[in-house]
Amino acid sequence: MKALPVLAVVLLTLLAAAVGGIAWERHQRSLAEASLQTAQGELKQTGDVLKEVRALRKDISDVEARLKKLGQNRNATGESRREKINAALAGEQCAVVAVPDAVADSLYQRAAEVAAGDYSGAFARKPDGKN
């Protein structure tokens, strides 16, 4: 009969160890689940940021494409304008006559004033030449 109380103590000790082990595993599992939820939240935020970056990159690509198209249209328009001007001036004798020296000198002088930053003539409403 002495074996029965010893066996009961051993069984109670094993039961307490099993319950303690289960509690420890449950605690570890709750910590792992919390860590998993945190990681999933961070992953979702990273995904959202990546979506936004991709959308911004697409917007920038669209803007670049529009700018390129505008530049091409501008070049084509300018070339067409130059061709029209050349065609219109083809038969004109006035277009091939040299500019008089006095007019050219006045234009060079005005360009030098503008380049030097002397805007006094423009603000004081002084004429560029005799006219």
Side-chain angles (χ1 to χ4, degrees):
M1 284 298 234
K2 287 188 174 185
L4 190 60
V6 172
L7 183 61
V9 169
V10 169
L11 285 178
L12 285 176
T13 305
L14 287 176
L15 181 64
V19 170
I22 290 173
W24 174 255
E25 287 297 321
R26 184 175 289 168
H27 174 68
Q28 291 297 326
R29 185 174 196 168
S30 67
L31 289 176
E33 287 177 358
S35 176
L36 177 64
Q37 287 179 351
T38 302
Q40 286 175 340
E42 290 175 357
L43 184 62
K44 183 183 181 310
Q45 288 176 347
T46 303
D48 293 343
V49 169
L50 284 174
K51 283 180 188 177
E52 188 172 338
V53 167
R54 286 183 184 124
L56 288 173
R57 190 181 77 193
K58 184 182 180 307
D59 290 344
I60 289 171
S61 296
D62 292 345
V63 169
E64 286 177 340
R66 281 185 269 159
L67 283 174
K68 184 177 179 182
K69 186 175 181 180
L70 286 173
Q72 290 172 346
N73 288 345
R74 182 175 170 236
N75 289 340
T77 302
E79 186 63 31
S80 172
R81 188 179 303 125
R82 282 187 287 280
E83 288 174 3
K84 287 179 183 177
I85 289 171
N86 287 337
L89 295 177
E92 291 289 326
Q93 292 299 323
C94 181
V96 294
V97 175
V99 176
D101 289 338
V103 174
D105 289 342
S106 174
L107 290 173
Y108 283 125
Q109 181 182 4
R110 181 65 181 153
E113 287 177 6
V114 169
D118 182 11
Y119 300 108
S120 62
F123 294 124
R125 298 191 187 350
K126 294 181 185 175
D128 288 337
K130 294 179 184 177
N131 299 343

